[in-house]
Amino acid sequence: AGMSNGVAYVLDESRTLYERVNYDMVNLTGLDPEDEEVLQRLIRDHEEKTTSARARNLLVEWDRCRPLFRKVAPNGAEAYIAATRRALLDGVAQEAEPALVRRSA
């Protein structure tokens, strides 16, 4: 399946995500510094709202977990993703904010 919009941050603990991606539809990349900031904010918000032990552990073990995250985004959506990410970091509410997808690969 493909993605038509948005971005997913996937925790690839088994390091097999690259084998299961439809590269005709999406790009798979590591995190840049802004992605890292967005992801930490999303995980922190999730932990605060749900008291998730998993989210807390990801934050506490960030240096170990960070390299395991991959960004999955539709091909050709770079400008949209950059604008949405910037809006989230600037604290501007938008309809389509990046969504955290917590899924172990």
Side-chain angles (χ1 to χ4, degrees):
M3 291 176 67
S4 60
N5 218 341
V7 63
Y9 295 103
V10 179
L11 180 60
D12 186 16
E13 292 179 294
S14 65
R15 299 176 190 217
T16 59
L17 180 63
Y18 68 94
E19 299 170 350
R20 300 180 284 137
V21 171
N22 179 350
Y23 291 98
D24 291 334
M25 300 289 293
V26 298
N27 291 316
L28 180 64
T29 63
L31 304 180
D32 66 27
E34 283 187 331
D35 289 320
E36 184 174 353
E37 188 177 346
V38 166
L39 183 55
Q40 282 184 310
R41 183 176 294 183
L42 291 169
I43 294 170
R44 192 175 310 109
D45 288 350
H46 176 72
E47 191 273 332
E48 288 173 2
K49 291 176 183 173
T50 67
T51 66
S52 165
R54 176 80 165 149
R56 185 83 216 117
N57 186 56
L58 288 171
L59 294 169
V60 169
E61 298 288 326
W62 187 253
D63 289 338
R64 181 186 64 78
C65 296
R66 186 216 178 276
L68 301 175
F69 278 100
R70 298 292 174 262
K71 178 170 78 171
V72 182
N75 292 330
E78 293 83 9
Y80 169 79
I81 292 167
T84 304
R85 179 175 66 177
R86 190 74 254 149
L88 177 69
L89 291 176
D90 291 343
V92 177
Q94 278 194 346
E95 234 176 85
E97 291 183 346
L100 169 66
V101 177
R102 188 189 75 73
R103 180 177 175 190
S104 294

